[in-house]
Every structure is written in C-alpha cells, then in structure tokens.
Amino acid sequence: MATAPLIPRLHLWEIDDQPWFPSFLRAYVQTGLTHAWTVHIPILQPSSAATIVAATLRRVLGDRVSRHTYIDFCAGAGGPTPFIERALNKQLERSTTTHTVPATASAGVVDGESKAASESTPSYAAVADPKAESATVRDEEEEDDVAVDFVLTDLHPHVESWAAAAKKSDRLTYVSDPVDAAHAPADLLRRYSGKEGNGKGIFRLFNLAFHHFDDDLARSILKNTVETSEGFGIFELQDRTPTGLLTCFAFGFFIFLIAPLLYWWSPLRLFWIYVIPVVPFVLVFDGLISCLRTRTADEVEALLRTCGADTDSWEIQSGKEQFLWPCGNLNWIICTKKTT
C-alpha cells in the first residue's frame, strides 16, 4: 500500500463548474485544458500527455487492449479522448504492420521486371502455396481487428464539438443524448458491447474527471461500471503532492508563454489571457483545487470495494508517468476484471 499523501482530500468547488461562470470563458478554459493534454513541448516533454495515456493503455492492457470499446463518460467538449484514439490506433497499426509480409514480390527488379510490374505479380511462394496469396488480405483484416473504437458521452453533451472531432476519424463516435455515468443506458451499452455491437467489452474512461465526483456519486458510478463494463481507466494530470501543486503554477506560466502560438488567430482570447487574465487565473486556481480533490489509487480502491457490487474478480493497477519536466506527472489507475 502506497504512503498516504500529507495533504488530506478536500472536495472543494472549482470556478469552471459554477453556473455563474460565463460560458464563453468556460470554453476558453476547457480549450486550455485540452492543450494541456495535447501540446508537446520538445525537451520539456517526452510526448503529449494524451499520447502517454494511449501508450499506458496499450502497455497495461497488453493483448486485451483491442478487445474493448472505449467510452468516455465525462467527455466535456471532447478533451483528450480524440487525441488518445488517434494515438492508440496509430500505435496498434504500427505494431501490426511491422509483422506484415506481402505475398507478392517487391524487390527493385525481379527476374528482369521492374518493381512496378512485379508488384502485381504473385511471388514464387504464392504460386507454390495458394494460401500465401491471401496472407496480405488476412494481414489487412488483422489490422482492422486490432483497431479500437472510442465514444464520447457526457451528462451535458457538446454535440457540435464532438461532431467536428468525429469527422477526423472513422473510429470516433459520440452520443448526442445526455448520459449519466451512474446510470448508463442499457441500449448504449448493448450498442457498443458484444451483445449487439462489435463483440468487444466496454472500457470506461475518466480523463481529468473522476476527482469531480463526491464519494457517494463515485461509488454509484463505480457500481454501474462494475456491473456493465469490463474495465475502467482514471487519468489525472495532478495529485495531492507539493509537486502536483507546483505543476499547476508551471501550467499557468506556460499558458502565458505559448498562448500567442496557440491563439494568434483570436484577439479576444488573448485579451482574456493577457489584458484581463481570467483564463490563466481559473486554470491555476481550478488546478490547485483539483489537486486537493484527486484521490490516490488506494482511495479509489476503497470506494470500489464498498460500492455495493461484487468486485472480487476485479484487480486494480496504478502508476505515474512524467509528461512535463521537472514535476508534471500523469497519474493513472486502471481496473479490469481478472483474466482466467
């Protein structure tokens, strides 16, 4: 069991959650949070946080990574999920193509023929073994099998933003109706699971979201998850440590530093960053509050074991990956049913 943080968990309020906070400023803040997941600053970052999430899912789930449909139940305006989808499927595609051996000859010159002519000519192996001719087709089918689908949902859908994101990938879809993570609609789960969908299990994603739930709501969500899903992942960019708090101030500094590169096309957005710095203030303030609200893996497991569902067959793994030098860490918790 890991050492408990010196700072106790405090379920305080964040400015971005308040109904009185102007919607246009909320959109600016949420865009800033998305960039925290997706921007890659060379030297200071090994890769973007979203790419690290994709790599973590692939590493921890192993061969099971392609057996799930990933549903973000708190997608907000889209957040990092579209970028995680692209990164994970790109990683899976690379791992598959490295093992693909075409059944046709592909050397520069083959028996006096140019490469262009020989590309459509079966190789000797394909002629000797007719089954080899279908090897490439099977490999292409396997590539399609390992690709995974992602679904955006939320209690307050952002359909316009989701539709724009979905246009960029055939593997990203969304649900336009409100979805309560504590009472996931049965038809939604059937649509994307093995019962009626693609034969894959449901894996729930909570990206920078789980700390928003109080204990009672968190238990309800975990109970519904255990009863209807094959696993879930909680990914947070902060924790209740001094370095976690320091990262929030560093993030505010980087907003001032790179905002002209990100938002040069929007003078109004730059106005609320530099002239009246509401956006960086809210990002830092809410980030600090998020640190205080974030649970450790032991605290999440305690909620899981007391959620009212049978969790004996579930196992929990956790860790952290540095996404920003020197102190920014991605904290992850992945819980799945034990394999038999």
Side-chain angles (χ1 to χ4, degrees), residues 6 30 53 90 95 115 160 162 178 180 190 207 282 299 308 318:
L6 296 176
Q30 290 177 345
V53 170
K90 186 177 295 184
S95 67
K115 179 177 179 180
E160 185 176 348
W162 296 351
D180 184 350
R190 284 195 301 268
N207 301 319
V282 172
E299 290 167 341
S318 63

Side-chain angles (χ1 to χ4, degrees), residues 291-304:
C291 289
L292 300 177
R293 299 169 83 176
T294 301
R295 296 178 178 89
T296 65
D298 290 337
E299 290 167 341
V300 171
E301 183 169 14
L303 293 175
L304 178 71

